[in-house]
Amino acid sequence: MHKRSITRRPPSPRFFLSGKGNLNVRFSYSGKRVFIALNHFILPEDWNDKRQSPKSSLRGRKDVERILTDLEKMEKAIIKLYQDVGETLTPEQFKQEILYRVGAEDRPGDMPKDLHGYLNAFIVTYKARPGVSRTSWGKFEALQAHLKQFEKDTRQTLDFETIDYKFKEDFASWMFAPPRNFANNNAAKMMAALRQIMRDAYRKKVHTNVIQEDRQFIIKRKPTNSKVRLTVPELYQIEHFDFSDRPHLERARDL
């Protein structure tokens, strides 16, 4: 008696919001639930949970059209990958391959191996991601400029493997010294951006340095009580407000 072969269906992606508007996708693969955070934000009141899509009344808006394009791209990539490999991958490998196929991450062999080359390629790729604004990638451009000036001023040559505690102390002193006079939290932001770059490069096997995972390899932020903080929905509304008839306000918003 022959055993009946089981034909498994491709994953059925479901798009949903988390938090106050962060867009995600989930699906089952090899019996396990897989989650991917998408690089998009949409107000909950603009989202149709039943249709897993922005509300139809918003069609034509640029950010909504980008979301719709990326949702379709993600769904097709998940189904096509399953058709290509079946269940021969682990859920984590399947997820990683999806990120490669939709262009959310670069394959390990695609990026330069040196620090400045990698950082430059990272910025170019980051800017090309759908829905990404200057507030997301501006810190990496600032980091790039500061590292180059730091090298020039201290006559050092930086690379992934030379980043250590001495570098942290030297870089922190350089940021706090005149004429820069960085505020503490601005310096902390630069160190956090550097750790993010190093983690990304480590994950892609560009280097073997793990100092970025040490909790001491940071500049601690200090609480500030004088700043006005905007909520994520408020930032979203500012980002997508039409200032086309007032270019000076558009430039101020981008800054």
Side-chain angles (χ1 to χ4, degrees):
M1 183 176 180
H2 295 289
K3 291 183 179 181
R4 182 180 297 175
S5 61
I6 299 177
T7 303
R8 297 184 183 274
R9 293 182 178 180
S12 179
R14 175 169 181 79
F15 299 100
F16 67 99
L17 298 184
S18 64
K20 295 183 179 181
N22 298 304
L23 193 53
N24 309 267
V25 63
R26 67 171 177 255
F27 55 89
S28 293
Y29 178 77
S30 275
K32 292 189 177 182
R33 190 71 64 86
V34 178
F35 292 86
I36 299 177
L38 306 179
N39 199 27
H40 282 294
F41 172 87
I42 186 169
L43 293 172
E45 55 265 35
D46 290 342
W47 179 255
N48 187 322
D49 193 55
K50 185 175 181 180
R51 293 181 177 272
Q52 304 174 53
S53 174
K55 290 183 178 178
S56 56
S57 59
L58 302 177
R59 290 292 182 92
R61 208 170 76 182
K62 287 183 179 180
D63 61 309
V64 170
E65 292 302 319
R66 285 197 300 266
I67 290 174
L68 290 169
T69 298
D70 286 351
L71 295 187
E72 182 180 6
K73 183 179 180 181
M74 176 62 72
E75 183 173 17
K76 287 182 177 179
I78 292 171
I79 294 173
K80 180 64 167 61
L81 178 58
Y82 188 85
Q83 293 171 342
D84 292 343
V85 303
E87 296 187 356
T88 60
L89 304 178
T90 66
E92 187 58 36
Q93 289 171 333
F94 191 87
K95 174 181 176 178
Q96 187 62 60
E97 181 62 25
I98 288 296
L99 294 175
Y100 291 152
R101 292 196 176 196
V102 298
E105 292 187 10
D106 296 297
R107 295 184 186 276
D110 295 342
M111 298 289 278
K113 304 300 182 185
D114 65 290
L115 175 60
H116 287 296
Y118 189 94
L119 181 51
N120 187 63
F122 180 91
I123 292 170
V124 171
T125 303
Y126 206 93
K127 285 182 178 180
R129 293 178 182 177
V132 172
S133 64
R134 184 180 178 84
T135 55
S136 300
W137 49 260
K139 60 184 176 183
F140 299 114
E141 282 196 334
L143 173 65
Q144 184 181 46
H146 293 320
L147 289 177
K148 287 182 177 180
Q149 189 61 47
F150 170 78
E151 285 182 308
K152 182 178 179 180
D153 291 348
T154 62
R155 297 182 181 179
Q156 295 186 38
T157 300
L158 300 177
D159 212 339
F160 287 114
E161 302 299 344
T162 64
I163 302 295
D164 56 14
Y165 282 108
K166 185 179 185 308
F167 159 79
K168 176 201 166 185
E169 293 173 3
D170 291 346
F171 190 45
S173 297
W174 180 85
M175 287 190 287
F176 292 135
R180 290 162 296 280
N181 299 316
F182 273 31
N184 183 85
N185 289 357
N186 193 16
K189 181 180 178 180
M190 290 299 99
M191 284 298 295
L194 176 60
R195 293 178 74 203
Q196 185 175 343
I197 291 293
M198 292 189 69
R199 281 176 174 158
D200 189 77
Y202 180 84
R203 188 177 66 251
K204 295 171 183 173
K205 297 180 172 55
V206 172
H207 67 87
T208 59
N209 194 347
V210 294
I211 197 170
Q212 67 274 3
E213 302 306 327
D214 195 311
R215 292 184 179 181
Q216 300 302 315
F217 192 70
I218 63 171
I219 295 175
K220 291 184 178 180
R221 292 179 179 270
K222 293 181 179 179
T224 56
N225 299 320
S226 59
K227 289 187 176 180
V228 177
R229 290 178 171 83
L230 298 175
T231 64
V232 173
E234 286 171 337
L235 289 170
Y236 177 85
Q237 290 176 329
I238 292 173
E239 180 182 0
H240 296 287
F241 193 87
D242 185 8
F243 285 116
S244 58
D245 60 335
R246 288 167 287 179
H248 65 291
L249 293 181
E250 189 167 24
R251 289 193 296 271
R253 184 263 310 280
D254 290 345
L255 286 172

